[in-house]
Amino acid sequence: MTRPRPGARSTSSTSCWAARDRMASGVGGIAFLREHEAVAPVAWSWWMLISDSARVVAEAAKNGNGFVVAPVMRNLMTHAVAMAWLVDGGDAAVQAVDAYSDDQLLKLITNAKRAGWDVEGDEVEVKVRAAVDERTAHPDLEVVRLTNEIRNTVDHMAAFGEQEGYLPYRHLSSYSHTTRATAQLYLHPTRAGGWELRNKPRESGLNDVIWTAVCLIQAGRILDSILGEQLLAEELDQATAHVGVSGDIVPRRRPRRGAAN
């Protein structure tokens, strides 16, 4: 990926949000290409989540609270790549989302039982376990492969050539867990070796704003590619030019080892 220029500002995302809001207000009239109808509902939901998350991050950064919403920024980055993964995988990817979600739900139910919650015989658990048993009895190897792929963020992003994008994701993880980064976020070291207490977090700078714009552009390009007509193209071109990136920044699957040419 070409690095965005340092002077980029959050205004590069404004046109994307304007186009998104226009689309959302007329969602009943949006047409998707027939070959992408299977992924269209999930792609739409993820695009809306990405654009709303980006708005939250940009506003927080503007107010000096960029690091406070680091988990949102992290989520934004993974979902932008997930949109590329979804369109690339088609119906099998939609099934993989269900399979992965069922696995996570069963883990939650197991944890609830360990905590002493009375969830025995829950209808949701019965339904989910039946779905898991059916997949196990008649495995679809492509669905299995895609399900395993989205379990691990570093592998998932690497599969789409986003090794560089994983670096800020990894950095943001420090602000999503109970680490030294959050332990010192509202402190300032003094010359005497102590700490000055602060009522505002350390400034996050432009990094989160830049990556927010990049993720918005990536996700917007992917959504636009499955629409019956390119409703976002003009705004995305403007945003891309403002951020200062060049070339194709949409995540694309790298050739798999051993795959046929």
Side-chain angles (χ1 to χ4, degrees), residues 51-83:
S51 54
D52 280 339
S53 298
R55 211 188 301 250
V56 168
V57 172
E59 187 64 26
K62 179 181 177 181
N63 295 330
N65 292 309
F67 282 130
V68 177
V69 294
V72 180
M73 182 71 234
R74 219 171 57 129
N75 196 43
L76 171 65
M77 299 179 74
T78 54
H79 276 80
V81 178
M83 280 193 68

Side-chain angles (χ1 to χ4, degrees), residues 13-224:
S13 305
T14 303
S15 57
C16 291
W17 288 322
R20 177 265 197 198
D21 291 341
R22 287 201 307 273
M23 289 177 62
S25 64
V27 65
I30 296 175
F32 292 89
L33 295 173
R34 184 176 299 276
E35 61 266 33
H36 296 299
E37 286 181 350
V39 304
V42 179
W44 172 258
S45 187
W46 281 354
W47 160 245
M48 294 294 283
L49 174 65
I50 288 168
S51 54
D52 280 339
S53 298
R55 211 188 301 250
V56 168
V57 172
E59 187 64 26
K62 179 181 177 181
N63 295 330
N65 292 309
F67 282 130
V68 177
V69 294
V72 180
M73 182 71 234
R74 219 171 57 129
N75 196 43
L76 171 65
M77 299 179 74
T78 54
H79 276 80
V81 178
M83 280 193 68
W85 169 88
L86 175 73
V87 175
D88 178 79
D91 183 61
V94 177
Q95 294 181 56
V97 171
D98 282 336
Y100 179 59
S101 300
D102 285 348
D103 289 345
Q104 294 301 303
L105 183 54
L106 289 181
K107 289 181 180 179
L108 176 62
I109 292 172
T110 298
N111 290 335
K113 291 178 179 179
R114 289 174 179 172
W117 289 22
D118 183 12
V119 294
E120 291 295 339
D122 183 85
E123 292 182 3
V124 173
E125 180 181 5
V126 172
K127 182 179 179 180
V128 171
R129 289 199 182 280
V132 171
D133 290 343
E134 176 65 20
R135 291 191 197 99
T136 303
H138 305 92
D140 182 319
L141 296 183
E142 181 65 4
V143 173
V144 172
R145 183 185 67 80
L146 289 171
T147 304
N148 289 332
E149 192 169 65
I150 61 172
R151 294 182 193 278
N152 188 293
T153 300
V154 63
D155 292 340
H156 188 206
M157 296 184 78
F160 283 80
E162 289 293 299
Q163 293 93 329
E164 185 176 355
Y166 181 74
L167 298 179
Y169 171 89
R170 184 70 263 167
H171 171 65
L172 290 168
S173 296
S174 298
Y175 296 91
S176 301
H177 301 292
T178 49
T179 67
R180 181 169 55 241
T182 57
Q184 298 179 358
L185 187 56
Y186 288 79
L187 304 175
H188 182 75
T190 65
R191 292 183 178 180
W195 295 100
E196 174 189 333
L197 307 184
R198 306 180 62 178
N199 63 357
K200 293 284 287 184
R202 189 169 68 257
E203 289 284 347
S204 59
L206 286 174
N207 290 336
D208 46 4
V209 176
I210 291 173
W211 281 107
T212 296
V214 168
C215 291
L216 261 179
I217 293 169
Q218 290 176 331
R221 295 285 188 197
I222 296 164
L223 184 71
D224 216 36

